[in-house]
Amino acid sequence: ILPSIMFRKFADGLRAAANNAGSALGVSDSDGVQRLTAMGFSRTEATNALEATNGNVDQAAELLLAQHQQHPTPAAARPTQNHHNHGAAHNEDEDIRRAMAASLETNHNRNEAMNRAAAAAEARNKPKNNKKPTQSQTATMHKAAEVTFDHGGTNPHKISTGAGALAKHHPTVKLAPKLQDKSIEEQILRCADRLKAAPAAVDTLYRACTTIQQHPNEEKYRSIDTTTAGFQRTLAKAPGAMDFLKAVNFYPSPHNANVLRMDLVDPARIYLGISALEKTKETTEYITAKGRMVVTKEVATLRRDASDQETLKRAAFMAKCPSEPAEGQGAWIQVALADHETIRRRFDGDDTLQDVLNWLGSYASETPNKLNKRNWMLQDINRYPVAPMD
């Protein structure tokens, strides 16, 4: 607000001086010089300005004011005023002019700073090679920025991430078809192959398919309750089991979603299922997993035997075991009894493998006999691959 008031005062003084001068054509050079010096300009500036404007005091004053706005004169370099009215009015006009000069200088510096900032921003955004992108580059960038929308659904702005979007943006990339998009034969074969490490699931499905093949009209063989303990234990978590059942025509019942039913028996699908499962049974993965499963069941059965005869046999094996070293002595031996449980004990360095077998016999009396006949075997699981111990 203060610079505006000071500017109006200065302008009013300028107009008053111009009006008192009368017509520019009737004013002498000496009067014009005196009036301009009374405004604070030097005699040399006043003389030059009057010569440039053909003696027009008004135009000379505007010219000098414009020059001082562009090139403000430092206060120390301004000439001393010799006008007879060297009082409060002159001091006020001088202060106004100095304030305007300082304001103009501040604006000038601010504009220069803004121009430098704009030039720096333009330099950052400008390509290093100073070349505009070609038409093909521009088209490529626009194509990469496109978003594929699914207009067929309820949400018109839903981004599509399916095969259509992939084919559009990456035409050379090919997605493998989903399992349900493959033929029934390939679905059955793939599901059966995935089950090779789950022998219990393979055996259950094989038994179900062969039973349906032999009794296609028996409805009780064509219904599976998924909530039973047997289903949860053997099929619920087996990879590929549910897909295999769907492939051979098992679907949820409309009356109970927990029940799978085969309303239509397709002999060809049943035959394909049996053939695929038979092929799976020949794989190394199935044979290995099957053997482990059998041993686990046998060990569990032996461990549950609490008869007096079994107790006496276990005590006899324990009597043959050497005493266990004290804490901090000997070495730990840990044995995983298939998938049933893990047992551990300390042994001295001079203890033998027979001592270890006697120790195992104290948990199940048939264990040493199974190992000696090679029905079972000990494996060193600290080695990779796991190696049998003879």
Side-chain angles (χ1 to χ4, degrees):
I1 298 175
L2 181 60
S4 300
I5 296 174
M6 298 171 69
F7 182 81
R8 285 198 297 271
K9 290 183 178 181
F10 183 73
D12 292 341
L14 181 61
R15 285 194 293 270
N19 292 334
N20 294 333
S23 173
L25 297 176
V27 176
S28 63
D29 289 344
S30 59
D31 292 339
V33 170
Q34 291 179 4
R35 297 185 187 283
L36 292 175
T37 56
M39 298 177 195
F41 302 108
S42 66
R43 187 175 186 82
T44 303
E45 291 175 336
T47 302
N48 294 335
L50 289 172
E51 291 178 357
T53 58
N54 294 325
N56 191 321
V57 179
D58 191 5
Q59 295 181 2
E62 293 179 357
L63 178 62
L64 290 174
L65 179 60
Q67 291 177 352
H68 275 262
Q69 288 178 352
Q70 296 178 358
H71 305 286
T73 304
R78 295 190 184 102
T80 305
Q81 303 300 324
N82 295 322
H83 194 266
H84 64 278
N85 190 17
H86 193 69
H90 172 72
N91 292 336
E92 182 179 1
D93 291 341
E94 183 67 16
D95 291 340
I96 291 173
R97 195 168 69 82
R98 290 179 181 180
M100 291 183 62
S103 177
L104 291 172
E105 180 68 17
T106 301
N107 292 335
H108 178 69
N109 294 337
R110 184 183 297 110
N111 291 335
E112 286 187 352
M114 292 176 63
N115 291 335
R116 287 195 299 269
E122 183 179 0
R124 286 195 302 270
N125 297 329
K126 191 174 182 180
K128 293 183 180 180
N129 54 7
N130 295 328
K131 293 182 180 180
K132 294 183 178 180
T134 62
Q135 185 175 1
S136 60
Q137 292 174 338
T138 304
T140 302
M141 289 188 290
H142 280 290
K143 184 176 180 181
E146 290 179 356
V147 178
T148 304
F149 293 99
D150 182 9
H151 296 286
T154 57
N155 185 2
H157 301 291
K158 179 182 178 182
I159 299 178
S160 175
T161 57
L166 180 66
K168 179 178 180 181
H169 299 296
H170 304 281
T172 59
V173 177
K174 302 298 182 182
L175 280 179
K178 296 181 180 179
L179 181 63
Q180 58 267 27
D181 296 333
K182 296 180 178 294
S183 65
I184 295 299
E185 180 180 1
E186 190 168 358
Q187 290 182 39
I188 294 175
L189 291 174
R190 287 173 61 88
C191 292
D193 184 69
R194 292 179 63 192
L195 289 165
K196 58 189 176 184
V202 173
D203 294 344
T204 301
L205 293 173
Y206 182 81
R207 185 165 55 251
C209 290
T210 53
T211 303
I212 294 174
Q213 186 182 47
Q214 296 170 5
H215 308 280
N217 297 324
E218 291 289 342
E219 187 175 349
K220 62 179 180 180
Y221 298 134
R222 296 188 281 111
S223 179
I224 300 175
D225 187 355
T226 61
T227 62
T228 61
F231 183 91
Q232 294 296 322
R233 184 177 59 255
T234 58
L235 296 178
K237 298 181 180 180
M242 294 299 295
D243 291 329
F244 182 90
L245 290 172
K246 291 180 181 179
V248 296
N249 238 6
F250 273 100
Y251 289 96
S253 172
H255 306 292
N256 187 352
N258 293 324
V259 176
L260 299 177
R261 290 184 53 83
M262 180 184 289
D263 294 329
L264 178 62
V265 178
D266 188 340
R269 296 192 184 194
I270 297 298
Y271 176 80
L272 286 173
I274 294 174
S275 300
L277 293 173
E278 288 177 346
K279 185 177 180 180
T280 300
K281 287 185 174 186
E282 298 175 357
T283 61
T284 304
E285 292 85 350
Y286 171 84
I287 295 173
T288 302
K290 179 71 172 181
R292 181 181 294 274
M293 184 181 70
V294 171
V295 172
T296 300
K297 289 183 177 180
E298 292 180 356
V299 171
T301 301
L302 294 175
R303 292 287 291 137
R304 287 195 300 267
D305 189 358
S307 63
D308 295 339
Q309 184 178 5
E310 176 64 18
T311 303
L312 292 174
K313 290 181 179 180
R314 293 180 184 179
F317 279 111
M318 178 59 72
K320 298 178 182 179
C321 289
S323 59
E324 184 174 3
E327 185 72 26
Q329 299 179 6
W332 282 104
I333 290 184
Q334 179 172 292
V335 177
L337 300 177
D339 295 332
H340 182 64
E341 63 178 322
T342 300
I343 57 176
R344 57 184 304 188
R345 185 185 186 276
R346 289 187 297 271
F347 285 88
D348 282 325
D350 57 351
D351 292 333
T352 64
L353 180 58
Q354 185 61 47
D355 295 330
V356 175
L357 294 179
N358 292 332
W359 168 60
L360 295 176
S362 66
Y363 284 90
S365 61
E366 281 295 317
T367 302
N369 186 38
K370 293 280 188 180
L371 292 172
N372 289 327
K373 291 182 178 180
R374 298 183 182 271
N375 294 328
W376 296 353
M377 70 174 60
L378 290 175
Q379 292 181 321
D380 186 359
I381 60 176
N382 294 318
R383 299 176 59 181
Y384 182 82
V386 175
M389 298 174 60
D390 192 352

